[in-house]
Amino acid sequence: MKKIFFIVAFIATGLVQSYALDRPTLHGDLLTHYYAIKDALVASKADLAATHAAEFVKTAASVDAKNLPDDNRALLVKDAAAIANAKDLKKQRELFSAFSENMAALAKVTKLGHGDIYKAYCPMKKASWLSKEPAIKNPYYGSAMLTCGKVVETLK
């Protein structure tokens, strides 16, 4: 009987570990959606930014998201919903500024993913954004000023 118990426990442990390794964390999912919104704005694709913002809202509002600080989650859901509802690229870029600040605040209190998160700043827009790489790709101006900005902080 002990052998069967240990075998079942061993198999269950392996399955749980495998699932945990294959499944990104909720916070990582939020960061992935944030990056997708940013990339859509860099590419000047308003429809894609709206789609990714709606996915962000769904993820942040999920039952699994209960471990996020309520204040941060409420602000992020509000910001992402506004981006999802705005179909105008200029308006989405304006809304992205507050969304980025709130996402940076969350990144400072919660581990969002694996690796460094780079906070970049655009002096022309006087706004920041987060990036998974230090290369500057400005979401506020797209191709018009793609490399305007600089990394001002690295969040671990």
Side-chain angles (χ1 to χ4, degrees):
M1 188 66 171
K2 285 184 180 178
K3 277 186 175 180
I4 293 173
F5 175 75
F6 285 119
I7 291 171
V8 170
F10 180 74
I11 291 171
T13 301
L15 290 174
V16 169
Q17 286 176 344
S18 173
Y19 177 77
L21 291 174
D22 291 341
R23 172 84 174 111
T25 64
L26 170 68
H27 297 148
D29 288 348
L30 290 177
L31 189 59
T32 298
H33 290 308
Y34 171 87
Y35 288 150
I37 296 164
K38 176 199 57 96
D39 292 343
L41 294 175
V42 168
S44 299
K45 295 184 178 179
D47 290 343
L48 191 56
T51 299
H52 289 301
E55 288 298 317
F56 184 99
V57 170
K58 283 185 210 172
T59 302
S62 73
V63 174
D64 293 339
K66 298 296 182 193
N67 61 348
L68 288 175
D70 286 338
D71 292 344
N72 292 94
R73 185 163 72 136
L75 288 171
L76 290 169
V77 167
K78 178 181 152 259
D79 293 339
I83 293 170
N85 292 327
K87 301 304 177 196
D88 176 62
L89 184 63
K90 184 177 179 182
K91 182 66 175 171
Q92 287 176 329
R93 286 176 168 157
E94 288 172 15
L95 295 165
F96 188 69
S97 177
F99 183 49
S100 293
E101 286 304 319
N102 291 325
M103 195 70 180
L106 179 63
K108 289 181 180 185
V109 298
T110 306
K111 178 110 173 113
L112 289 179
H114 303 291
D116 293 339
I117 301 171
Y118 300 94
K119 184 175 181 182
Y121 179 76
C122 173
M124 299 294 290
K125 180 71 175 168
K126 294 184 178 29
S128 299
W129 72 93
L130 302 178
S131 181
K132 61 184 165 188
E133 66 248 351
I136 298 296
K137 292 184 182 170
N138 191 320
Y140 298 110
Y141 292 106
S143 62
M145 297 179 81
L146 186 61
T147 59
C148 178
K150 66 179 180 175
V151 172
V152 293
E153 187 176 1
T154 303
L155 306 170
K156 304 269 180 190

